[in-house]
Amino acid sequence: AQTVTQSQPEMSVQEAETVTLSCTYDTSESNYYLFWYKQPPSRQMILVIRQEAYKQQNATENRFSVNFQKAAKSFSLKISDSQLGDTAMYFCAFMKPQFGNEKLTFGTGTRLTIIP
Amino acid sequence: DTGVSQDPRHKITKRGQNVTFRCDPISEHNRLYWYRQTLGQGPEFLTYFQNEAQLEKSRLLSDRFSAERPKGSFSTLEIQRTEQGDSAMYLCASSTGTGGTDTQYFGPGTRLTVL
């Protein structure tokens, strides 16, 4: 079974600064996908960024980028030029691609607060 | 594309009562997932539908829980004889199921409180 660990329960950063959220995972699979989801207060979870394990290049989506270290089983999220709207719970998730059920395995989350 | 919707958003019930939640996925999404999220935890997988077929259930889903997806459209999750430990946020997600690895789109969740 796969496990996902987020060791930072809470973080805070000044607006416009850069912050990095950590995630490690454990799996024996060689082909898998990793995700960062954002859950704003009282709002639904949305996908921030995804990474295919077979791709060496780190994924980037505007101000969001990841540092994927496959050998170390590490998948951190960097948020540049942080904005007040980035305040949310951030969940790291693992998925094994297969025909049919592609359920997500989530970490416990990091509560990020952007300070004005 | 109106997104995944869930109803009700909040439900307060007394222990021992039955409750039913509804999820309307994005239209034409073949895959539908239910997750449960307790305070301070990430969502945990409960069950999965491919069209109308329920293909996998987690061990978290005791026999008091039942889920359906008639006609492969909306889905319902029923909890019988609720217990205080059932208090959680119940999340629904859907994806296209057209091949490759699909992004799961989540609904706003139903927050259940069992008194």
Side-chain angles (χ1 to χ4, degrees), chain A residues 33 37 39 42 44-45 47 50 91 95 97 100-104 106-108, chain B residues 31 33 35 37 40-43 45 48 56 100-104 106-108:
Chain A
Y33 290 74
Y37 276 87
Q39 188 176 41
S42 301
Q44 60 207 81
M45 198 169 319
L47 179 67
R50 60 184 269 170
F91 292 97
M95 189 267 283
N101 185 4
E102 294 187 324
K103 61 188 175 188
L104 296 165
F106 288 88
T108 52
Chain B
R31 296 178 177 175
Y33 302 82
Y35 293 87
Q37 185 178 15
Q41 300 295 317
F45 168 77
Y48 160 71
E56 185 169 341
T101 300
D102 311 312
T103 295
Q104 291 185 27
F106 283 81

PDB file of all heavy atoms in Angstrom, chain A residues 33 37 39 42 44-45 47 50 91 95 97 100-104 106-108, chain B residues 31 33 35 37 40-43 45 48 56 100-104 106-108:
ATOM      1  N   TYR A  33       1.434   8.706 -10.486  1.00  0.00           N
ATOM      2  CA  TYR A  33       1.218  10.138 -10.622  1.00  0.00           C
ATOM      3  C   TYR A  33       1.152  10.761  -9.233  1.00  0.00           C
ATOM      4  O   TYR A  33       0.671  10.139  -8.274  1.00  0.00           O
ATOM      5  CB  TYR A  33      -0.099  10.425 -11.363  1.00  0.00           C
ATOM      6  CG  TYR A  33      -0.059  10.056 -12.819  1.00  0.00           C
ATOM      7  CD1 TYR A  33      -0.100   8.724 -13.226  1.00  0.00           C
ATOM      8  CD2 TYR A  33       0.013  11.047 -13.794  1.00  0.00           C
ATOM      9  CE1 TYR A  33      -0.056   8.391 -14.570  1.00  0.00           C
ATOM     10  CE2 TYR A  33       0.048  10.717 -15.129  1.00  0.00           C
ATOM     11  CZ  TYR A  33       0.016   9.389 -15.510  1.00  0.00           C
ATOM     12  OH  TYR A  33       0.058   9.061 -16.839  1.00  0.00           O
ATOM     13  N   TYR A  37      -3.308  19.194  -4.369  1.00  0.00           N
ATOM     14  CA  TYR A  37      -4.652  19.757  -4.368  1.00  0.00           C
ATOM     15  C   TYR A  37      -4.715  20.860  -3.327  1.00  0.00           C
ATOM     16  O   TYR A  37      -4.085  20.789  -2.275  1.00  0.00           O
ATOM     17  CB  TYR A  37      -5.707  18.694  -4.032  1.00  0.00           C
ATOM     18  CG  TYR A  37      -6.168  17.859  -5.194  1.00  0.00           C
ATOM     19  CD1 TYR A  37      -5.491  16.700  -5.562  1.00  0.00           C
ATOM     20  CD2 TYR A  37      -7.301  18.219  -5.931  1.00  0.00           C
ATOM     21  CE1 TYR A  37      -5.928  15.925  -6.623  1.00  0.00           C
ATOM     22  CE2 TYR A  37      -7.742  17.447  -6.997  1.00  0.00           C
ATOM     23  CZ  TYR A  37      -7.052  16.298  -7.331  1.00  0.00           C
ATOM     24  OH  TYR A  37      -7.490  15.527  -8.390  1.00  0.00           O
ATOM     25  N   GLN A  39      -7.401  23.149  -0.956  1.00  0.00           N
ATOM     26  CA  GLN A  39      -8.760  23.194  -0.405  1.00  0.00           C
ATOM     27  C   GLN A  39      -8.912  24.493   0.376  1.00  0.00           C
ATOM     28  O   GLN A  39      -8.563  24.574   1.555  1.00  0.00           O
ATOM     29  CB  GLN A  39      -9.010  21.982   0.497  1.00  0.00           C
ATOM     30  CG  GLN A  39     -10.448  21.835   0.959  1.00  0.00           C
ATOM     31  CD  GLN A  39     -10.654  20.555   1.765  1.00  0.00           C
ATOM     32  OE1 GLN A  39      -9.814  20.181   2.586  1.00  0.00           O
ATOM     33  NE2 GLN A  39     -11.768  19.865   1.525  1.00  0.00           N
ATOM     34  N   SER A  42     -13.824  26.371   3.465  1.00  0.00           N
ATOM     35  CA  SER A  42     -15.244  26.196   3.107  1.00  0.00           C
ATOM     36  C   SER A  42     -15.474  26.133   1.595  1.00  0.00           C
ATOM     37  O   SER A  42     -16.574  26.433   1.122  1.00  0.00           O
ATOM     38  CB  SER A  42     -16.093  27.321   3.714  1.00  0.00           C
ATOM     39  OG  SER A  42     -15.960  27.324   5.119  1.00  0.00           O
ATOM     40  N   GLN A  44     -14.441  23.937  -2.281  1.00  0.00           N
ATOM     41  CA  GLN A  44     -14.090  22.609  -2.727  1.00  0.00           C
ATOM     42  C   GLN A  44     -12.639  22.495  -3.143  1.00  0.00           C
ATOM     43  O   GLN A  44     -11.976  23.480  -3.449  1.00  0.00           O
ATOM     44  CB  GLN A  44     -14.996  22.168  -3.869  1.00  0.00           C
ATOM     45  CG  GLN A  44     -14.959  23.015  -5.108  1.00  0.00           C
ATOM     46  CD  GLN A  44     -16.288  22.900  -5.833  1.00  0.00           C
ATOM     47  OE1 GLN A  44     -17.251  23.565  -5.463  1.00  0.00           O
ATOM     48  NE2 GLN A  44     -16.335  22.051  -6.830  1.00  0.00           N
ATOM     49  N   MET A  45     -12.181  21.264  -3.138  1.00  0.00           N
ATOM     50  CA  MET A  45     -10.805  20.954  -3.460  1.00  0.00           C
ATOM     51  C   MET A  45     -10.574  21.109  -4.966  1.00  0.00           C
ATOM     52  O   MET A  45     -11.380  20.652  -5.777  1.00  0.00           O
ATOM     53  CB  MET A  45     -10.498  19.522  -3.036  1.00  0.00           C
ATOM     54  CG  MET A  45      -9.045  19.233  -2.918  1.00  0.00           C
ATOM     55  SD  MET A  45      -8.673  17.666  -2.139  1.00  0.00           S
ATOM     56  CE  MET A  45      -9.821  17.586  -0.849  1.00  0.00           C
ATOM     57  N   LEU A  47      -7.472  20.991  -8.172  1.00  0.00           N
ATOM     58  CA  LEU A  47      -6.139  20.544  -8.538  1.00  0.00           C
ATOM     59  C   LEU A  47      -5.228  21.747  -8.768  1.00  0.00           C
ATOM     60  O   LEU A  47      -5.594  22.679  -9.473  1.00  0.00           O
ATOM     61  CB  LEU A  47      -6.208  19.697  -9.805  1.00  0.00           C
ATOM     62  CG  LEU A  47      -4.873  19.180 -10.338  1.00  0.00           C
ATOM     63  CD1 LEU A  47      -4.273  18.172  -9.376  1.00  0.00           C
ATOM     64  CD2 LEU A  47      -5.055  18.575 -11.719  1.00  0.00           C
ATOM     65  N   ARG A  50       0.076  18.541 -11.282  1.00  0.00           N
ATOM     66  CA  ARG A  50       0.264  17.106 -11.305  1.00  0.00           C
ATOM     67  C   ARG A  50       1.601  16.772 -11.950  1.00  0.00           C
ATOM     68  O   ARG A  50       2.110  17.539 -12.779  1.00  0.00           O
ATOM     69  CB  ARG A  50      -0.866  16.394 -12.035  1.00  0.00           C
ATOM     70  CG  ARG A  50      -1.030  16.819 -13.483  1.00  0.00           C
ATOM     71  CD  ARG A  50      -2.228  16.153 -14.126  1.00  0.00           C
ATOM     72  NE  ARG A  50      -1.866  14.891 -14.763  1.00  0.00           N
ATOM     73  CZ  ARG A  50      -2.742  14.015 -15.227  1.00  0.00           C
ATOM     74  NH1 ARG A  50      -4.026  14.240 -15.095  1.00  0.00           N
ATOM     75  NH2 ARG A  50      -2.337  12.918 -15.807  1.00  0.00           N
ATOM     76  N   PHE A  91      -3.026  19.533  -0.041  1.00  0.00           N
ATOM     77  CA  PHE A  91      -2.881  18.097   0.099  1.00  0.00           C
ATOM     78  C   PHE A  91      -2.031  17.546  -1.032  1.00  0.00           C
ATOM     79  O   PHE A  91      -2.257  17.849  -2.209  1.00  0.00           O
ATOM     80  CB  PHE A  91      -4.249  17.401   0.078  1.00  0.00           C
ATOM     81  CG  PHE A  91      -5.103  17.683   1.273  1.00  0.00           C
ATOM     82  CD1 PHE A  91      -6.079  18.662   1.226  1.00  0.00           C
ATOM     83  CD2 PHE A  91      -4.928  16.970   2.448  1.00  0.00           C
ATOM     84  CE1 PHE A  91      -6.876  18.940   2.323  1.00  0.00           C
ATOM     85  CE2 PHE A  91      -5.724  17.240   3.559  1.00  0.00           C
ATOM     86  CZ  PHE A  91      -6.696  18.224   3.495  1.00  0.00           C
ATOM     87  N   MET A  95      -1.306   8.546  -6.934  1.00  0.00           N
ATOM     88  CA  MET A  95      -2.233   7.717  -7.690  1.00  0.00           C
ATOM     89  C   MET A  95      -1.482   6.731  -8.570  1.00  0.00           C
ATOM     90  O   MET A  95      -0.541   7.100  -9.271  1.00  0.00           O
ATOM     91  CB  MET A  95      -3.161   8.591  -8.527  1.00  0.00           C
ATOM     92  CG  MET A  95      -4.300   7.833  -9.169  1.00  0.00           C
ATOM     93  SD  MET A  95      -3.883   7.318 -10.800  1.00  0.00           S
ATOM     94  CE  MET A  95      -4.080   8.888 -11.635  1.00  0.00           C
ATOM     95  N   PRO A  97      -1.788   4.574 -11.745  1.00  0.00           N
ATOM     96  CA  PRO A  97      -2.663   4.486 -12.911  1.00  0.00           C
ATOM     97  C   PRO A  97      -3.016   3.038 -13.205  1.00  0.00           C
ATOM     98  O   PRO A  97      -2.175   2.149 -13.144  1.00  0.00           O
ATOM     99  CB  PRO A  97      -1.811   5.084 -14.034  1.00  0.00           C
ATOM    100  CG  PRO A  97      -0.406   4.863 -13.598  1.00  0.00           C
ATOM    101  CD  PRO A  97      -0.411   4.917 -12.100  1.00  0.00           C
ATOM    102  N   GLY A 100      -9.626   1.472 -14.682  1.00  0.00           N
ATOM    103  CA  GLY A 100     -10.676   1.494 -13.680  1.00  0.00           C
ATOM    104  C   GLY A 100     -10.358   2.425 -12.530  1.00  0.00           C
ATOM    105  O   GLY A 100     -10.127   3.609 -12.723  1.00  0.00           O
ATOM    106  N   ASN A 101     -10.350   1.886 -11.342  1.00  0.00           N
ATOM    107  CA  ASN A 101     -10.253   2.686 -10.124  1.00  0.00           C
ATOM    108  C   ASN A 101      -8.888   3.354  -9.984  1.00  0.00           C
ATOM    109  O   ASN A 101      -7.895   2.706  -9.680  1.00  0.00           O
ATOM    110  CB  ASN A 101     -10.539   1.812  -8.903  1.00  0.00           C
ATOM    111  CG  ASN A 101     -10.570   2.619  -7.615  1.00  0.00           C
ATOM    112  OD1 ASN A 101     -10.459   3.842  -7.627  1.00  0.00           O
ATOM    113  ND2 ASN A 101     -10.704   1.932  -6.505  1.00  0.00           N
ATOM    114  N   GLU A 102      -8.862   4.632 -10.187  1.00  0.00           N
ATOM    115  CA  GLU A 102      -7.617   5.389  -9.992  1.00  0.00           C
ATOM    116  C   GLU A 102      -7.792   6.258  -8.745  1.00  0.00           C
ATOM    117  O   GLU A 102      -7.763   7.487  -8.815  1.00  0.00           O
ATOM    118  CB  GLU A 102      -7.300   6.215 -11.230  1.00  0.00           C
ATOM    119  CG  GLU A 102      -6.968   5.339 -12.434  1.00  0.00           C
ATOM    120  CD  GLU A 102      -6.488   6.123 -13.638  1.00  0.00           C
ATOM    121  OE1 GLU A 102      -6.989   7.242 -13.853  1.00  0.00           O
ATOM    122  OE2 GLU A 102      -5.632   5.602 -14.381  1.00  0.00           O
ATOM    123  N   LYS A 103      -7.975   5.600  -7.622  1.00  0.00           N
ATOM    124  CA  LYS A 103      -8.218   6.319  -6.379  1.00  0.00           C
ATOM    125  C   LYS A 103      -6.972   7.069  -5.947  1.00  0.00           C
ATOM    126  O   LYS A 103      -5.845   6.669  -6.218  1.00  0.00           O
ATOM    127  CB  LYS A 103      -8.640   5.356  -5.277  1.00  0.00           C
ATOM    128  CG  LYS A 103      -7.581   4.318  -4.960  1.00  0.00           C
ATOM    129  CD  LYS A 103      -8.129   3.275  -4.009  1.00  0.00           C
ATOM    130  CE  LYS A 103      -7.106   2.185  -3.801  1.00  0.00           C
ATOM    131  NZ  LYS A 103      -7.653   1.041  -3.030  1.00  0.00           N
ATOM    132  N   LEU A 104      -7.204   8.175  -5.275  1.00  0.00           N
ATOM    133  CA  LEU A 104      -6.126   8.998  -4.756  1.00  0.00           C
ATOM    134  C   LEU A 104      -5.845   8.627  -3.305  1.00  0.00           C
ATOM    135  O   LEU A 104      -6.768   8.397  -2.523  1.00  0.00           O
ATOM    136  CB  LEU A 104      -6.513  10.475  -4.842  1.00  0.00           C
ATOM    137  CG  LEU A 104      -6.707  11.030  -6.254  1.00  0.00           C
ATOM    138  CD1 LEU A 104      -7.425  12.368  -6.217  1.00  0.00           C
ATOM    139  CD2 LEU A 104      -5.354  11.174  -6.940  1.00  0.00           C
ATOM    140  N   PHE A 106      -4.147  10.374  -0.118  1.00  0.00           N
ATOM    141  CA  PHE A 106      -3.777  11.724   0.306  1.00  0.00           C
ATOM    142  C   PHE A 106      -2.898  11.713   1.543  1.00  0.00           C
ATOM    143  O   PHE A 106      -2.962  10.810   2.382  1.00  0.00           O
ATOM    144  CB  PHE A 106      -5.034  12.537   0.642  1.00  0.00           C
ATOM    145  CG  PHE A 106      -5.864  12.935  -0.540  1.00  0.00           C
ATOM    146  CD1 PHE A 106      -6.853  12.105  -1.032  1.00  0.00           C
ATOM    147  CD2 PHE A 106      -5.658  14.167  -1.167  1.00  0.00           C
ATOM    148  CE1 PHE A 106      -7.636  12.480  -2.122  1.00  0.00           C
ATOM    149  CE2 PHE A 106      -6.427  14.552  -2.247  1.00  0.00           C
ATOM    150  CZ  PHE A 106      -7.412  13.707  -2.729  1.00  0.00           C
ATOM    151  N   GLY A 107      -2.103  12.770   1.670  1.00  0.00           N
ATOM    152  CA  GLY A 107      -1.431  13.058   2.930  1.00  0.00           C
ATOM    153  C   GLY A 107      -2.393  13.776   3.868  1.00  0.00           C
ATOM    154  O   GLY A 107      -3.559  14.017   3.538  1.00  0.00           O
ATOM    155  N   THR A 108      -1.887  14.158   5.030  1.00  0.00           N
ATOM    156  CA  THR A 108      -2.727  14.791   6.046  1.00  0.00           C
ATOM    157  C   THR A 108      -2.879  16.291   5.846  1.00  0.00           C
ATOM    158  O   THR A 108      -3.671  16.932   6.537  1.00  0.00           O
ATOM    159  CB  THR A 108      -2.169  14.544   7.451  1.00  0.00           C
ATOM    160  OG1 THR A 108      -0.788  14.928   7.459  1.00  0.00           O
ATOM    161  CG2 THR A 108      -2.294  13.075   7.840  1.00  0.00           C
TER     162      THR A 108
ATOM    163  N   ARG B  31     -16.488   8.068 -14.379  1.00  0.00           N
ATOM    164  CA  ARG B  31     -15.963   7.597 -13.095  1.00  0.00           C
ATOM    165  C   ARG B  31     -16.445   8.490 -11.966  1.00  0.00           C
ATOM    166  O   ARG B  31     -16.439   9.718 -12.089  1.00  0.00           O
ATOM    167  CB  ARG B  31     -14.442   7.566 -13.125  1.00  0.00           C
ATOM    168  CG  ARG B  31     -13.879   6.589 -14.132  1.00  0.00           C
ATOM    169  CD  ARG B  31     -12.362   6.636 -14.161  1.00  0.00           C
ATOM    170  NE  ARG B  31     -11.821   5.650 -15.092  1.00  0.00           N
ATOM    171  CZ  ARG B  31     -10.528   5.549 -15.386  1.00  0.00           C
ATOM    172  NH1 ARG B  31      -9.660   6.369 -14.823  1.00  0.00           N
ATOM    173  NH2 ARG B  31     -10.116   4.633 -16.228  1.00  0.00           N
ATOM    174  N   TYR B  33     -16.202   8.829  -7.565  1.00  0.00           N
ATOM    175  CA  TYR B  33     -15.541   8.387  -6.345  1.00  0.00           C
ATOM    176  C   TYR B  33     -16.209   9.045  -5.136  1.00  0.00           C
ATOM    177  O   TYR B  33     -16.611  10.201  -5.189  1.00  0.00           O
ATOM    178  CB  TYR B  33     -14.067   8.805  -6.340  1.00  0.00           C
ATOM    179  CG  TYR B  33     -13.244   8.292  -7.497  1.00  0.00           C
ATOM    180  CD1 TYR B  33     -13.263   8.930  -8.731  1.00  0.00           C
ATOM    181  CD2 TYR B  33     -12.413   7.181  -7.343  1.00  0.00           C
ATOM    182  CE1 TYR B  33     -12.491   8.465  -9.791  1.00  0.00           C
ATOM    183  CE2 TYR B  33     -11.634   6.720  -8.398  1.00  0.00           C
ATOM    184  CZ  TYR B  33     -11.682   7.365  -9.612  1.00  0.00           C
ATOM    185  OH  TYR B  33     -10.909   6.907 -10.658  1.00  0.00           O
ATOM    186  N   TYR B  35     -15.143   9.870  -1.107  1.00  0.00           N
ATOM    187  CA  TYR B  35     -14.070   9.924  -0.120  1.00  0.00           C
ATOM    188  C   TYR B  35     -14.662  10.446   1.188  1.00  0.00           C
ATOM    189  O   TYR B  35     -15.674  11.154   1.200  1.00  0.00           O
ATOM    190  CB  TYR B  35     -12.959  10.894  -0.561  1.00  0.00           C
ATOM    191  CG  TYR B  35     -12.172  10.483  -1.784  1.00  0.00           C
ATOM    192  CD1 TYR B  35     -12.613  10.801  -3.058  1.00  0.00           C
ATOM    193  CD2 TYR B  35     -10.953   9.811  -1.661  1.00  0.00           C
ATOM    194  CE1 TYR B  35     -11.880  10.445  -4.189  1.00  0.00           C
ATOM    195  CE2 TYR B  35     -10.202   9.457  -2.782  1.00  0.00           C
ATOM    196  CZ  TYR B  35     -10.679   9.781  -4.032  1.00  0.00           C
ATOM    197  OH  TYR B  35      -9.944   9.437  -5.144  1.00  0.00           O
ATOM    198  N   GLN B  37     -13.465  12.588   4.704  1.00  0.00           N
ATOM    199  CA  GLN B  37     -12.410  13.412   5.297  1.00  0.00           C
ATOM    200  C   GLN B  37     -12.782  13.765   6.726  1.00  0.00           C
ATOM    201  O   GLN B  37     -13.765  14.475   6.960  1.00  0.00           O
ATOM    202  CB  GLN B  37     -12.206  14.692   4.471  1.00  0.00           C
ATOM    203  CG  GLN B  37     -11.054  15.557   4.945  1.00  0.00           C
ATOM    204  CD  GLN B  37     -10.870  16.787   4.069  1.00  0.00           C
ATOM    205  OE1 GLN B  37     -11.733  17.162   3.280  1.00  0.00           O
ATOM    206  NE2 GLN B  37      -9.719  17.428   4.185  1.00  0.00           N
ATOM    207  N   GLY B  40      -8.606  17.155  10.440  1.00  0.00           N
ATOM    208  CA  GLY B  40      -7.161  17.033  10.534  1.00  0.00           C
ATOM    209  C   GLY B  40      -6.552  15.957   9.656  1.00  0.00           C
ATOM    210  O   GLY B  40      -5.348  15.697   9.740  1.00  0.00           O
ATOM    211  N   GLN B  41      -7.375  15.346   8.834  1.00  0.00           N
ATOM    212  CA  GLN B  41      -6.880  14.278   7.966  1.00  0.00           C
ATOM    213  C   GLN B  41      -7.139  14.608   6.500  1.00  0.00           C
ATOM    214  O   GLN B  41      -7.976  15.453   6.175  1.00  0.00           O
ATOM    215  CB  GLN B  41      -7.573  12.955   8.298  1.00  0.00           C
ATOM    216  CG  GLN B  41      -7.357  12.481   9.733  1.00  0.00           C
ATOM    217  CD  GLN B  41      -5.907  12.163  10.004  1.00  0.00           C
ATOM    218  OE1 GLN B  41      -5.213  11.552   9.202  1.00  0.00           O
ATOM    219  NE2 GLN B  41      -5.411  12.598  11.157  1.00  0.00           N
ATOM    220  N   GLY B  42      -6.436  13.918   5.630  1.00  0.00           N
ATOM    221  CA  GLY B  42      -6.734  14.033   4.215  1.00  0.00           C
ATOM    222  C   GLY B  42      -7.894  13.117   3.859  1.00  0.00           C
ATOM    223  O   GLY B  42      -8.246  12.217   4.621  1.00  0.00           O
ATOM    224  N   PRO B  43      -8.476  13.329   2.707  1.00  0.00           N
ATOM    225  CA  PRO B  43      -9.578  12.454   2.277  1.00  0.00           C
ATOM    226  C   PRO B  43      -9.122  11.006   2.146  1.00  0.00           C
ATOM    227  O   PRO B  43      -7.989  10.736   1.756  1.00  0.00           O
ATOM    228  CB  PRO B  43      -9.960  13.027   0.909  1.00  0.00           C
ATOM    229  CG  PRO B  43      -9.478  14.444   0.932  1.00  0.00           C
ATOM    230  CD  PRO B  43      -8.227  14.414   1.756  1.00  0.00           C
ATOM    231  N   PHE B  45     -10.329   7.195   0.533  1.00  0.00           N
ATOM    232  CA  PHE B  45     -11.189   6.562  -0.461  1.00  0.00           C
ATOM    233  C   PHE B  45     -12.223   5.661   0.204  1.00  0.00           C
ATOM    234  O   PHE B  45     -11.912   4.886   1.110  1.00  0.00           O
ATOM    235  CB  PHE B  45     -10.318   5.740  -1.418  1.00  0.00           C
ATOM    236  CG  PHE B  45     -11.080   4.815  -2.310  1.00  0.00           C
ATOM    237  CD1 PHE B  45     -11.762   5.297  -3.415  1.00  0.00           C
ATOM    238  CD2 PHE B  45     -11.130   3.453  -2.043  1.00  0.00           C
ATOM    239  CE1 PHE B  45     -12.459   4.447  -4.247  1.00  0.00           C
ATOM    240  CE2 PHE B  45     -11.827   2.597  -2.860  1.00  0.00           C
ATOM    241  CZ  PHE B  45     -12.497   3.089  -3.960  1.00  0.00           C
ATOM    242  N   TYR B  48     -15.863   3.393  -5.481  1.00  0.00           N
ATOM    243  CA  TYR B  48     -15.651   3.836  -6.857  1.00  0.00           C
ATOM    244  C   TYR B  48     -16.706   3.227  -7.777  1.00  0.00           C
ATOM    245  O   TYR B  48     -17.022   2.037  -7.667  1.00  0.00           O
ATOM    246  CB  TYR B  48     -14.261   3.408  -7.301  1.00  0.00           C
ATOM    247  CG  TYR B  48     -14.045   3.348  -8.806  1.00  0.00           C
ATOM    248  CD1 TYR B  48     -13.987   4.518  -9.558  1.00  0.00           C
ATOM    249  CD2 TYR B  48     -13.895   2.129  -9.462  1.00  0.00           C
ATOM    250  CE1 TYR B  48     -13.782   4.470 -10.925  1.00  0.00           C
ATOM    251  CE2 TYR B  48     -13.699   2.076 -10.830  1.00  0.00           C
ATOM    252  CZ  TYR B  48     -13.636   3.244 -11.556  1.00  0.00           C
ATOM    253  OH  TYR B  48     -13.449   3.198 -12.917  1.00  0.00           O
ATOM    254  N   GLU B  56     -15.331  -1.053  -6.663  1.00  0.00           N
ATOM    255  CA  GLU B  56     -14.435  -1.241  -5.535  1.00  0.00           C
ATOM    256  C   GLU B  56     -14.982  -0.524  -4.318  1.00  0.00           C
ATOM    257  O   GLU B  56     -15.522   0.580  -4.415  1.00  0.00           O
ATOM    258  CB  GLU B  56     -13.023  -0.727  -5.842  1.00  0.00           C
ATOM    259  CG  GLU B  56     -12.022  -1.023  -4.724  1.00  0.00           C
ATOM    260  CD  GLU B  56     -10.571  -0.770  -5.124  1.00  0.00           C
ATOM    261  OE1 GLU B  56     -10.271  -0.720  -6.331  1.00  0.00           O
ATOM    262  OE2 GLU B  56      -9.730  -0.638  -4.203  1.00  0.00           O
ATOM    263  N   GLY B 100      -6.136   7.248 -20.337  1.00  0.00           N
ATOM    264  CA  GLY B 100      -5.066   8.024 -19.720  1.00  0.00           C
ATOM    265  C   GLY B 100      -5.380   8.196 -18.244  1.00  0.00           C
ATOM    266  O   GLY B 100      -6.195   7.481 -17.690  1.00  0.00           O
ATOM    267  N   THR B 101      -4.786   9.135 -17.645  1.00  0.00           N
ATOM    268  CA  THR B 101      -5.040   9.379 -16.235  1.00  0.00           C
ATOM    269  C   THR B 101      -5.794  10.683 -16.094  1.00  0.00           C
ATOM    270  O   THR B 101      -5.279  11.743 -16.429  1.00  0.00           O
ATOM    271  CB  THR B 101      -3.733   9.416 -15.458  1.00  0.00           C
ATOM    272  OG1 THR B 101      -3.082   8.164 -15.620  1.00  0.00           O
ATOM    273  CG2 THR B 101      -3.987   9.653 -13.993  1.00  0.00           C
ATOM    274  N   ASP B 102      -7.025  10.554 -15.634  1.00  0.00           N
ATOM    275  CA  ASP B 102      -7.914  11.698 -15.606  1.00  0.00           C
ATOM    276  C   ASP B 102      -7.775  12.494 -14.323  1.00  0.00           C
ATOM    277  O   ASP B 102      -7.524  11.930 -13.266  1.00  0.00           O
ATOM    278  CB  ASP B 102      -9.367  11.229 -15.713  1.00  0.00           C
ATOM    279  CG  ASP B 102      -9.568  10.252 -16.845  1.00  0.00           C
ATOM    280  OD1 ASP B 102      -9.092  10.542 -17.943  1.00  0.00           O
ATOM    281  OD2 ASP B 102     -10.202   9.219 -16.610  1.00  0.00           O
ATOM    282  N   THR B 103      -7.979  13.750 -14.428  1.00  0.00           N
ATOM    283  CA  THR B 103      -8.060  14.593 -13.245  1.00  0.00           C
ATOM    284  C   THR B 103      -9.387  14.352 -12.552  1.00  0.00           C
ATOM    285  O   THR B 103     -10.433  14.293 -13.203  1.00  0.00           O
ATOM    286  CB  THR B 103      -7.946  16.072 -13.635  1.00  0.00           C
ATOM    287  OG1 THR B 103      -6.644  16.306 -14.167  1.00  0.00           O
ATOM    288  CG2 THR B 103      -8.174  16.972 -12.427  1.00  0.00           C
ATOM    289  N   GLN B 104      -9.354  14.194 -11.251  1.00  0.00           N
ATOM    290  CA  GLN B 104     -10.584  14.086 -10.478  1.00  0.00           C
ATOM    291  C   GLN B 104     -11.027  15.479 -10.051  1.00  0.00           C
ATOM    292  O   GLN B 104     -10.244  16.241  -9.483  1.00  0.00           O
ATOM    293  CB  GLN B 104     -10.367  13.191  -9.261  1.00  0.00           C
ATOM    294  CG  GLN B 104     -10.156  11.729  -9.637  1.00  0.00           C
ATOM    295  CD  GLN B 104     -10.053  10.819  -8.445  1.00  0.00           C
ATOM    296  OE1 GLN B 104     -10.600  11.085  -7.371  1.00  0.00           O
ATOM    297  NE2 GLN B 104      -9.336   9.720  -8.620  1.00  0.00           N
ATOM    298  N   PHE B 106     -13.567  17.567  -7.693  1.00  0.00           N
ATOM    299  CA  PHE B 106     -14.261  17.350  -6.434  1.00  0.00           C
ATOM    300  C   PHE B 106     -15.470  18.265  -6.279  1.00  0.00           C
ATOM    301  O   PHE B 106     -15.478  19.409  -6.744  1.00  0.00           O
ATOM    302  CB  PHE B 106     -13.311  17.579  -5.255  1.00  0.00           C
ATOM    303  CG  PHE B 106     -12.370  16.437  -5.025  1.00  0.00           C
ATOM    304  CD1 PHE B 106     -11.219  16.305  -5.779  1.00  0.00           C
ATOM    305  CD2 PHE B 106     -12.643  15.480  -4.062  1.00  0.00           C
ATOM    306  CE1 PHE B 106     -10.350  15.235  -5.587  1.00  0.00           C
ATOM    307  CE2 PHE B 106     -11.781  14.415  -3.854  1.00  0.00           C
ATOM    308  CZ  PHE B 106     -10.642  14.292  -4.617  1.00  0.00           C
ATOM    309  N   GLY B 107     -16.454  17.753  -5.578  1.00  0.00           N
ATOM    310  CA  GLY B 107     -17.579  18.570  -5.168  1.00  0.00           C
ATOM    311  C   GLY B 107     -17.274  19.277  -3.853  1.00  0.00           C
ATOM    312  O   GLY B 107     -16.205  19.069  -3.265  1.00  0.00           O
ATOM    313  N   PRO B 108     -18.195  20.107  -3.376  1.00  0.00           N
ATOM    314  CA  PRO B 108     -17.963  20.875  -2.153  1.00  0.00           C
ATOM    315  C   PRO B 108     -18.076  20.056  -0.886  1.00  0.00           C
ATOM    316  O   PRO B 108     -17.680  20.517   0.179  1.00  0.00           O
ATOM    317  CB  PRO B 108     -19.061  21.949  -2.201  1.00  0.00           C
ATOM    318  CG  PRO B 108     -20.147  21.318  -3.004  1.00  0.00           C
ATOM    319  CD  PRO B 108     -19.471  20.446  -4.009  1.00  0.00           C
TER     320      PRO B 108
END
